[in-house]
Amino acid sequence: MQDPAITPELIEAHGLKPEEYKEIIRILNRDPNFTELGIFSAMWNEHCSYKSSKKWLRTLPTEGPQVICGPGENAGIVDIGDGQCVVFKMESHNHPSYIEPYQGAATGVGGILRDVFTMGARPVAAMNSLSFGEKDHHKTRQLVHGVVEGVGGYGNCFGVPTVGGEVRFDPAYNGNCLVNAFAAGLADTDKIFYSAASGVGMPVVYLGAKTGRDGVGGATMASAEFDETIEEKRPTVQVGDPFTEKRLMEATLELMQTGAVISIQDMGAAGLTCSAVEMGDKGKLGILLNLEDVPQREQDMTAYEMMLSESQERMLMVLKPEKEAEARAVFDKWDLDFAIVGETIAEDRFLIMHNGMCKADLPLSTLASSAPEYDRPWVATEVNADMDDVPEIDAIDGLKALIGSVNYCSRQWVYEQYDQMVMADTARAPGLGSGVIRVHGTDKLLAFTSDVTPRYVKANPIEGGKQAVAEAYRNLTAVGATPLATTDNLNFGNPEKPEIMGQFVGAIQGIGEAVAALDVPIVSGNVSLYNETDGHGILPTPTIGAVGLILSEDKMIGREVRDGHVALLIGETNGHLGQSALLAEVFNREDGDAPAVDLAAEKLNGDFIRDNHEWITACTDLSDGGLALAAFELAESAGVGVHLDDADTATLFGEDQARYLVACNFDQAEALMLAAGQARVTLTSVGRFTGDSVKLGNSEASLEELSTIFRGSFSEAFA
């Protein structure tokens, strides 16, 4: 098959700007051929090169005494003591999931799991953060079903518990849903594996499933806006097989025990191209590949197709040659391909051979570390704090509006489709704040959460970025965990629009301030830009995934609420209703500023919760819906009523930050009040848990009635 001519139209179809193509010609001192164009396209697209975001990502705090490995590897690594570490990352699969919901979501889960076990860690927990369009949009139902089934179908078969996550709906996601997948694994600190190649003449080995034509051009597609040609992009979505992935994980972890691995890399976005280039670049080596040796499941595949295929369940490894037979035997046992497809070379070259012909000869370093980097023009978001008065409403009517909304009702229809208990170490399943798992064979537990409030970020990117980190910090604290570190998934629209780039810059500034103040450095992450369809962008959605450590089960804060327990509010209440859930769901308004985030107060109140955990029988942080929604959810989960003293709308539904709601008996409440006075923490008694009704001021409804609304609204909308 003859390669097509390199035309301006072909260059544009590969996502390259004219000036970028000119730079390629300058680097090569010639025009690239078709395969070389594809390789440059894959490595220089936004998804792989971070060319619009690198400048700002460098400003994020990424170090700390707990950090073993920060951004730049497949996943971040944090020390949890006793020679153990937690390996974790969050990554997007947004565009593929909109085009083909089941496979897009499934392969997003598969990809993030590979990022973790590539480092030598066994995955122990998964989460997801999902954003869909408005409930009644013609595409939303199909997307919700496809994505949820894809997440469950892959994760359940692979055998990892899904312990947490979030789901939101907004018209801004009508043309571009978000599927952010998180995975965490456990490893020994002296048995971590990295991706940098070393040694000249070392065999480069292909591992796992065979290569097909699925996903060719996927990374380039993920770096572009959608338009009316969206259905034509369906072939760029990968197809996953969780049973093969499970075998690949077991084979890889067994292989690592043989001492055969010099370096290893998951084949994710841009497949063979990206994995080979990253291994070579990090090791300051070149790579020679012989494509005729690549295991293929389709006939007559071209060099272009093999280099850009994103077929799933594949790895690339640099092997100690004397260990070849031992390593091959492991993969033969697991019935997976093991093929030497090339070698490391001393020259800075990426040399691709196919049937004796040179299909690409490129300077390898220019494909990765020397990719374009842009300082995009940006304008700061103009924050408008003005808002009309919010009328007083019947408090129970306001609560019903929230718990009957698909944004704030129970998510059990979603998480009950996920295996939460596989591996038998889940200590707290989804639906009750942070997910918690036991570190098998120890007294320790790990807590996980995923948080962002996009309407805050849109109104005020700096405060919205801070708030995403602060809420993750509070969610971990509410179960008694010490927050360790964070991963981010930065979902935004077109960065070539200065107002969108301004949202990104502001959010990064807020995130950076918060992770520094709360000592939760960013250790891994992902940027997903161009989330737009026909020029309409998503809400800025910088999702924060966070991990915390609980040293022993007796330090974990439970959800035990009993009749007669006192309801205590920790933190200052000013009744901030700007950008609140109440405004959105009851009044269909989006005015006012996002709530201010006092990071010193977040730290003070978080430390207070952990330092006094023995007096607390149940705890939840306050976020969307304020005190009213937090109190209802805590009561409903325990099957006991709650009576709050205040009837003021702003007091009940305001979304001031740095606040927690605590349940405990009277004696424990007295001890907490004394401790709060000594720590200079604001603590207020706001009511009690009792009976079988929810009473907010003078407005009352039965817990049974409200629970029916809360538990049934999601399935009523989508089941």
Side-chain angles (χ1 to χ4, degrees):
M1 182 187 298
Q2 188 166 353
D3 288 343
I6 308 298
T7 63
E9 292 76 21
L10 189 68
I11 294 165
E12 183 181 8
H14 280 74
L16 291 165
K17 306 286 187 187
E19 59 271 22
E20 291 174 339
Y21 185 71
K22 287 179 182 176
E23 178 63 11
I24 292 171
I25 293 174
R26 188 197 67 77
I27 289 169
L28 299 180
N29 200 26
R30 60 175 173 82
D31 288 321
N33 63 35
F34 182 53
T35 300
E36 291 172 332
L37 179 72
I39 290 171
F40 269 107
S41 164
M43 292 306 303
W44 282 16
N45 65 56
E46 198 72 57
H47 190 75
C48 292
S49 73
Y50 295 89
K51 58 190 175 186
S52 297
S53 57
K54 282 192 283 196
K55 171 183 175 176
W56 301 103
L57 295 177
R58 293 191 192 102
T59 68
L60 289 171
T62 60
E63 297 179 347
Q66 71 273 44
V67 178
I68 295 173
C69 176
E73 274 293 341
N74 288 289
I77 308 176
V78 175
D79 196 336
I80 60 170
D82 306 312
Q84 292 181 299
C85 57
V86 58
V87 180
F88 64 97
K89 186 183 181 184
M90 179 173 271
E91 197 160 60
S92 63
H93 232 222
N94 303 335
H95 284 50
S97 298
Y98 189 79
I99 297 169
E100 182 59 63
Y102 184 94
Q103 290 296 348
T107 53
V109 173
I112 201 68
L113 289 168
R114 285 196 305 281
D115 280 339
V116 167
F117 69 74
T118 299
M119 306 289 292
R122 180 172 291 275
V124 293
M127 293 191 299
N128 52 81
S129 177
L130 311 176
S131 303
F132 300 105
E134 56 195 327
K135 178 182 69 173
D136 297 325
H137 187 265
H138 67 90
K139 187 128 175 131
T140 299
R141 183 182 176 86
Q142 174 209 355
L143 289 171
V144 170
H145 277 265
V147 166
V148 170
E149 289 169 10
V151 169
Y154 204 102
N156 295 353
C157 294
F158 179 85
V160 63
T162 298
V163 298
E166 52 184 348
V167 187
R168 69 180 56 85
F169 297 85
D170 189 276
Y173 304 104
N174 280 346
N176 201 127
C177 66
L178 302 183
V179 175
N180 295 173
F182 169 99
L186 289 167
D188 293 335
T189 54
D190 60 351
K191 295 174 184 172
I192 298 168
F193 290 82
Y194 297 99
S195 59
S198 65
V200 175
M202 297 295 110
V204 174
V205 183
Y206 175 112
L207 305 169
K210 289 177 167 46
T211 293
R213 291 187 171 93
D214 53 321
V216 172
T220 301
M221 174 272 292
S223 305
E225 294 182 33
F226 284 151
D227 55 26
E228 69 279 356
T229 66
I230 183 172
E231 289 302 321
E232 298 172 14
K233 296 180 171 68
R234 192 175 300 275
T236 62
V237 178
Q238 312 92 327
V239 177
D241 178 355
F243 298 107
T244 298
E245 176 113 334
K246 175 69 170 175
R247 288 186 290 124
L248 179 61
M249 179 192 72
E250 297 296 351
T252 300
L253 295 179
E254 187 174 333
L255 172 72
M256 289 168 171
Q257 295 175 8
T258 68
V261 179
I262 295 175
S263 64
I264 191 163
Q265 174 78 33
D266 158 45
M267 282 197 226
L272 193 53
T273 289
C274 191
S275 56
V277 168
E278 288 191 2
M279 289 173 73
D281 185 62
K282 289 174 184 175
K284 295 182 170 40
L285 293 168
I287 300 284
L288 163 67
L289 295 179
N290 295 304
L291 296 187
E292 62 271 19
D293 297 324
V294 170
Q296 300 161 53
R297 67 166 182 261
E298 299 184 45
Q299 291 186 339
D300 302 321
M301 289 190 70
T302 65
Y304 178 96
E305 291 169 331
M306 279 188 274
M307 292 307 297
L308 299 188
S309 167
E310 294 184 7
S311 294
Q312 296 292 286
E313 294 88 40
R314 301 180 302 159
M315 315 275 274
L316 200 64
M317 171 183 70
V318 177
L319 169 75
K320 292 179 182 176
E322 68 274 14
K323 295 279 190 177
E324 179 187 341
E326 192 175 354
R328 186 184 296 275
V330 171
F331 273 73
D332 286 346
K333 183 182 87 171
W334 288 100
D335 194 23
L336 292 165
D337 279 297
F338 178 103
I340 295 176
V341 295
E343 64 178 355
T344 58
I345 56 178
E347 303 95 328
D348 178 22
R349 295 172 76 188
F350 192 36
L351 191 57
I352 309 301
M353 305 296 294
H354 189 210
N355 297 325
M357 298 176 61
C358 180
K359 291 295 185 178
D361 189 353
L362 304 170
L364 187 144
S365 60
T366 62
L367 295 167
S369 54
S370 301
E373 180 175 339
Y374 295 123
D375 187 0
R376 301 278 190 201
W378 61 278
V379 293
T381 299
E382 186 175 338
V383 177
N384 183 2
D386 296 337
M387 62 181 292
D388 296 331
D389 291 339
V390 180
E392 288 290 320
I393 61 167
D394 180 86
I396 290 295
D397 287 345
L399 179 62
K400 284 180 177 179
L402 292 181
I403 63 176
S405 156
V406 290
N407 275 312
Y408 302 109
C409 64
S410 170
R411 299 291 191 264
Q412 66 187 82
W413 182 88
V414 175
Y415 61 70
E416 285 178 354
Q417 298 186 52
Y418 306 149
D419 193 332
Q420 308 153 33
M421 305 306 293
V422 65
M423 303 179 78
D425 279 320
T426 303
R428 179 174 289 184
L432 299 172
S434 293
V436 182
I437 65 146
R438 301 175 191 87
V439 178
H440 198 77
T442 76
D443 294 330
K444 296 177 293 192
L445 303 98
L446 288 171
F448 306 96
T449 188
S450 166
D451 298 286
V452 67
T453 308
R455 65 180 183 277
Y456 291 172
V457 186
K458 180 184 178 184
N460 188 332
I462 295 175
E463 291 303 314
K466 285 185 195 173
Q467 193 275 338
V469 177
E471 187 174 344
Y473 178 88
R474 291 197 303 272
N475 271 325
L476 296 176
T477 296
V479 298
T482 300
L484 291 177
T486 48
T487 181
D488 58 17
N489 204 147
L490 306 174
N491 309 272
F492 289 81
N494 186 343
E496 296 170 48
K497 297 177 179 178
E499 65 275 15
I500 300 296
M501 197 64 207
Q503 292 176 343
F504 182 87
V505 172
I508 286 282
Q509 181 181 334
I511 291 168
E513 288 181 31
V515 299
L518 301 176
D519 191 24
V520 284
I522 298 279
V523 297
S524 59
N526 172 247
V527 178
S528 176
L529 303 176
Y530 296 96
N531 288 289
E532 298 202 3
T533 297
D534 295 327
H536 299 290
I538 61 163
L539 292 176
T541 312
T543 309
I544 299 295
V547 177
L549 177 65
I550 307 172
L551 289 176
S552 60
E553 199 136 4
D554 63 339
K555 296 183 184 299
M556 179 176 166
I557 299 174
R559 293 279 286 206
E560 183 185 350
V561 181
R562 295 196 304 272
D563 198 313
H565 272 172
V566 180
L568 300 176
L569 179 62
I570 292 168
E572 295 279 355
T573 296
N574 299 305
H576 183 95
L577 286 171
Q579 300 298 328
S580 65
L582 184 79
L583 276 191
E585 299 295 344
V586 176
F587 299 104
N588 197 27
R589 287 167 51 182
E590 292 184 356
D591 49 331
D593 195 0
V597 179
D598 182 337
L599 294 169
E602 294 283 2
K603 186 77 166 62
L604 177 69
N605 295 348
D607 287 345
F608 177 80
I609 293 287
R610 285 186 296 275
D611 290 345
N612 294 279
H613 66 88
E614 69 270 23
W615 308 116
I616 300 171
T617 59
C619 180
T620 183
D621 86 300
L622 271 62
S623 52
D624 295 87
L627 174 61
L629 187 56
F632 166 76
E633 289 181 344
L634 200 57
E636 199 276 341
S637 68
V640 63
V642 62
H643 293 183
L644 298 182
D645 302 326
D646 209 310
D648 178 66
T649 297
T651 301
L652 287 172
F653 295 99
E655 296 179 4
D656 304 290
Q657 301 296 294
R659 297 189 300 161
Y660 301 83
L661 182 65
V662 163
C664 59
N665 64 37
F666 186 77
D667 291 343
Q668 292 168 323
E670 281 192 325
L672 281 171
M673 288 177 181
L674 288 171
Q678 293 172 347
R680 298 189 177 181
V681 165
T682 300
L683 186 151
T684 311
S685 175
V686 293
R688 67 191 188 282
F689 293 91
T690 187
D692 57 5
S693 69
V694 174
K695 187 176 181 182
L696 307 177
N698 295 318
S699 185
E700 190 170 11
S702 75
L703 181 63
E704 182 180 11
E705 176 195 357
L706 296 175
S707 183
T708 299
I709 297 170
F710 180 63
R711 299 252 168 205
S713 293
F714 203 99
S715 58
E716 184 179 319
F718 296 111

